[in-house]
Amino acid sequence: MLGKKLVTAQKRGETRALCLGLGMVACSMMMYFFIGITIVPFYTKSVWTTETVCKVLKANIKDKVFCPNSQGSEDEEIFPYPCLQVWVNLTASGQEVMLYQTEDTLERNPKCSYVPDKLENSKEVKARIEKIASNFKKYQTFPCYYDPGGTQTNVILSRLYPAKGLLFAFLWPTLMFTGGCLIIVLVKISQYVSVLSAWQ
């Protein structure tokens, strides 16, 4: 009687472990799919792939401009802010080009190097932009990214999804997939050993 209970408990434990392993594999596949349709297209679409050194030529704050959204936002999402324009000397070609914070900045407003998030306090936005401008004037030389193919003549300060970020995004589903497969393999080995012991 006790032996039957132990066998039943063992089978239940194996079933739960097997379900856990299959669930982890399924979740990791869903994460792979989600990353593949969201992050990977942005990474492959970006043409600013080569890192170089940029030297600041001038950093000016123009009059307030409105933040347009190319995807067609509602009126309440359009807000005025000081327009920071940063011009740099591209070491790779020696050209004078405009610097943008990321690829998204160029799409949101090609006239400004930095587009702030919508904030209720306009003074806070102004102070932040002035601080960014002073940092550019203070640190004259810094790494930036440019388009080696020449499609885009401007440069960006940082990529939205760099190679390291993409690898980090794939790290967690890979660990989950490996863990799920390991659990399934261990359960199958346990079942095989149990059957072999019972046969002997």
Side-chain angles (χ1 to χ4, degrees):
M1 189 70 178
L2 182 61
K4 289 184 178 180
K5 289 183 178 180
L6 289 175
V7 171
T8 303
Q10 183 181 4
K11 287 184 177 180
R12 287 179 180 175
E14 290 176 350
T15 302
R16 291 174 181 174
L18 192 61
C19 291
L20 175 63
L22 292 174
M24 291 175 66
V25 171
C27 288
S28 64
M29 298 304 292
M30 291 177 62
M31 292 173 67
Y32 278 129
F33 177 74
F34 180 76
I35 294 173
I37 63 174
T38 55
I39 299 178
V40 173
F42 283 105
Y43 176 79
T44 55
K45 189 175 69 173
S46 177
V47 295
W48 296 271
T49 56
T50 306
E51 185 175 350
T52 186
V53 177
C54 288
K55 185 177 181 181
V56 176
L57 297 176
K58 54 185 176 180
N60 300 326
I61 298 179
K62 302 292 184 180
D63 294 333
K64 285 188 176 182
V65 296
F66 285 91
C67 176
N69 191 333
S70 58
Q71 298 179 352
S73 62
E74 298 179 359
D75 293 339
E76 59 266 18
E77 294 182 357
I78 300 177
F79 62 99
Y81 61 94
C83 182
L84 172 64
Q85 293 182 344
V86 180
W87 293 87
V88 297
N89 184 10
L90 187 60
T91 306
S93 60
Q95 295 178 332
E96 181 180 340
V97 295
M98 190 168 177
L99 175 74
Y100 295 95
Q101 184 185 13
T102 61
E103 301 95 331
D104 184 59
T105 306
L106 179 61
E107 293 182 2
R108 293 179 64 187
N109 191 353
K111 295 181 180 180
C112 304
S113 298
Y114 173 76
V115 177
D117 296 329
K118 184 179 179 181
L119 298 174
E120 298 297 332
N121 191 351
S122 59
K123 293 182 179 179
E124 185 178 348
V125 174
K126 183 179 179 181
R128 181 183 298 180
I129 293 177
E130 289 176 350
K131 183 178 180 180
I132 294 173
S134 64
N135 286 336
F136 276 118
K137 294 176 182 178
K138 182 179 180 181
Y139 304 101
Q140 293 283 315
T141 305
F142 51 87
C144 59
Y145 295 89
Y146 75 101
D147 175 18
T151 306
Q152 294 286 346
T153 56
N154 41 57
V155 296
I156 61 174
L157 181 62
S158 60
R159 301 182 66 182
L160 279 174
Y161 300 104
K164 291 182 180 179
L166 191 65
L167 291 175
F168 185 76
F170 278 106
L171 175 63
W172 296 111
T174 301
L175 291 176
M176 184 178 293
F177 179 81
T178 305
C181 290
L182 185 61
I183 291 174
I184 294 173
V185 170
L186 290 176
V187 169
K188 291 300 181 181
I189 292 175
S190 176
Q191 290 176 346
Y192 174 75
V193 171
S194 298
V195 171
L196 188 62
S197 299
W199 181 77
Q200 290 178 351

